[in-house]
Amino acid sequence: MLNKAEHDAVRDAVAAAEARTSGEIFCVVAAQSAHYGEVPFGWASAVALAAPPVALALGVRPAALLAAFQNDWVAAHTAAISSAMTTALIGYGALQAVLFVAVAAVASMPAVKIALTPGSLKRSQVHKRAMEQFFARGLPALEEQAGVLIYVSSAERRVEIIAGEGIHGKVGDATWNRAVASALERIRRGDAAGGLIAAIEICGAALAEHFPADGERSNRLPDDVAEI
């Protein structure tokens, strides 16, 4: 996701920011925050349920669709189907099955799946994964809870900033929202490293203001960005 030069640039930005504060900044870049396996099936079910009634309203008849998909087995048993209603129901079911399989296949393609995933679901999953990383990296255990996690989820093109209670209680949401906006502005232009650096500078300034450096830098967490 990031090349060596970008890793070096982000690491230097973290080191420069942390030189001015006793707090810690840690960056994580994830390829994707969730698999969203339910999305293709949700879309396939919705289309399979909704499209046939629309087709009927437009004059498409299930019996005609059934004829188009007939195979030897159906042909051999056509004489046994005495009811027009039965034929219509079979055609309706065939149309739903074909639509379900086709939509599920298309919606399972990675780029299509991400595009079809509701924004609220992406927000929820990115936030959940960011919180997992915040705790996994030990940021809540830092002295005075002056730790900040900057989490970028590439596939969703979303950024989450999770801050310890110590620093969050002093700056509130406005600073983090500004850092997220600055990061996203660059990430959406294809500059992931630049987005991270912009967020690091804003978060670093907040940490330096409220938790200035108090001597030799302890550097309890690596400066390099972690890719997952």
Side-chain angles (χ1 to χ4, degrees):
M1 290 177 278
L2 298 180
N3 59 37
K4 184 180 183 305
E6 291 171 328
H7 269 274
D8 291 344
V10 173
R11 184 174 59 247
D12 291 345
V14 172
E18 290 185 347
R20 303 162 49 207
T21 176
S22 61
E24 290 278 340
I25 297 172
F26 191 76
C27 299
V28 177
V29 175
Q32 190 167 311
S33 289
H35 295 297
Y36 306 109
E38 68 273 31
V39 171
F41 295 103
W43 278 97
S45 298
V47 172
L49 288 172
V54 173
L56 287 173
L58 294 175
V60 178
R61 292 294 173 259
L65 290 169
L66 178 63
F69 290 101
Q70 278 184 333
N71 56 29
D72 293 340
W73 186 92
V74 175
H77 292 75
T78 300
I81 303 176
S82 59
S83 169
M85 179 63 71
T86 301
T87 302
L89 289 174
I90 293 174
Y92 194 96
L95 174 60
Q96 285 188 310
V98 169
L99 285 171
F100 184 92
V101 172
V103 173
V106 172
S108 294
M109 301 167 75
V112 177
K113 182 162 60 174
I114 282 292
L116 293 178
T117 300
S120 59
L121 179 57
K122 286 188 279 195
R123 282 193 300 273
S124 172
Q125 290 299 325
V126 170
H127 179 72
K128 178 181 178 182
R129 194 74 181 275
M131 290 298 295
E132 289 174 356
Q133 287 295 310
F134 183 72
F135 284 96
R137 304 293 174 174
L139 286 161
L142 294 177
E143 186 178 354
E144 298 183 289
Q145 292 215 357
V148 176
L149 174 79
I150 301 172
Y151 178 87
V152 175
S153 195
S154 299
E156 293 88 346
R157 290 184 175 270
R158 296 196 62 83
V159 176
E160 281 272 341
I161 294 179
I162 310 295
E165 292 182 6
I167 183 61
H168 182 68
K170 295 180 181 295
V171 303
D173 292 329
T175 296
W176 317 131
N177 291 340
R178 183 161 57 89
V180 167
S182 295
L184 284 175
E185 180 184 357
R186 291 161 178 79
I187 289 170
R188 287 168 178 165
R189 297 201 305 259
D191 183 10
L196 275 169
I197 292 169
I200 289 165
E201 291 173 348
I202 293 172
C203 294
L207 284 166
E209 179 182 354
H210 298 286
F211 295 93
D214 54 4
E216 185 177 351
R217 182 173 175 236
S218 60
N219 202 27
R220 287 156 288 184
L221 294 172
D223 293 340
D224 197 12
V225 57
E227 294 193 20
I228 60 173

